[in-house]
């Protein structure tokens, strides 16, 4: 059974940086999409970023574009999310997600299309 385990969350000051890591229990190359989603208290889960194997591109939510960077490491079977210039509105539980099988690029942001999910790691940005 595929397991995704996130780490690296915690408290952070506004403007600080954090790096989240997701360890994948199987070869990362077996997943067409490795991504991150987040859910803030009282809000729905939202897409953050995804790395697509087929075109080696990364896609980001507008709210994090230019501040967050997703990277897949196939040798280590991990996917990381480098988060810079954190804002209070980035406070949420962050989830790693994976999918086998391609989807249209217009659909990579849809959480319901991902097959596997981690347990989440909490990020709290506050002064």
């Amino acid at each position: 059974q595929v397991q995704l385990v996130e780490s690296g969350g915690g408290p952070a000051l506004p403007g600080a940086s954090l790096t989240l890591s997701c360890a994948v229990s199987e070869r990362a190359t077996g997943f067409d999409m490795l991504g991150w989603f987040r859910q803030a208290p009282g809000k729905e889960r939202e897409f953050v970023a995804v790395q697509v194997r087929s075109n080696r591109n990364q896609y980001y939510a507008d709210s994090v574009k230019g501040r967050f960077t997703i990277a897949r490491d196939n040798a280590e079977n991990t996917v990381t999310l480098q988060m810079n210039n954190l804002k209070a509105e980035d406070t949420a539980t962050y989830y790693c997600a994976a999918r086998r099988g391609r989807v249209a690029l217009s659909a990579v942001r849809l959480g319901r299309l991902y097959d596997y999910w981690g347990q989440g790691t909490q990020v709290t940005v506050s002064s």
Side-chain angles (χ1 to χ4, degrees), residues 4-6 93-96 117-121:
L4 306 177
V5 180
E6 303 97 336
T93 300
Y94 284 71
Y95 297 92
C96 177
W117 293 83
Q119 293 298 307
T121 185

Side-chain angles (χ1 to χ4, degrees), residues 43-120:
K43 295 187 177 181
E44 293 187 354
R45 181 182 64 194
E46 65 174 358
F47 167 79
V48 175
V50 64
Q51 200 279 337
V52 177
R53 188 186 65 173
S54 62
N55 62 8
R56 301 183 182 180
N57 283 344
Q58 298 77 41
Y59 301 88
Y60 298 93
D62 288 344
S63 59
V64 307
K65 198 173 297 183
R67 299 188 298 121
F68 290 13
T69 302
I70 188 171
R72 176 199 294 239
D73 187 332
N74 289 329
E76 297 293 330
N77 297 322
T78 59
V79 56
T80 59
L81 186 69
Q82 173 68 41
M83 306 186 294
N84 296 328
N85 190 21
L86 284 164
K87 304 177 180 181
E89 50 264 42
D90 295 319
T91 294
T93 300
Y94 284 71
Y95 297 92
C96 177
R99 176 186 164 87
R100 302 188 201 270
R102 297 184 183 184
V103 300
L105 292 180
S106 59
V108 299
R109 292 169 171 80
L110 298 177
R112 59 183 173 84
L113 297 182
Y114 288 74
D115 306 306
Y116 307 100
W117 293 83
Q119 293 298 307

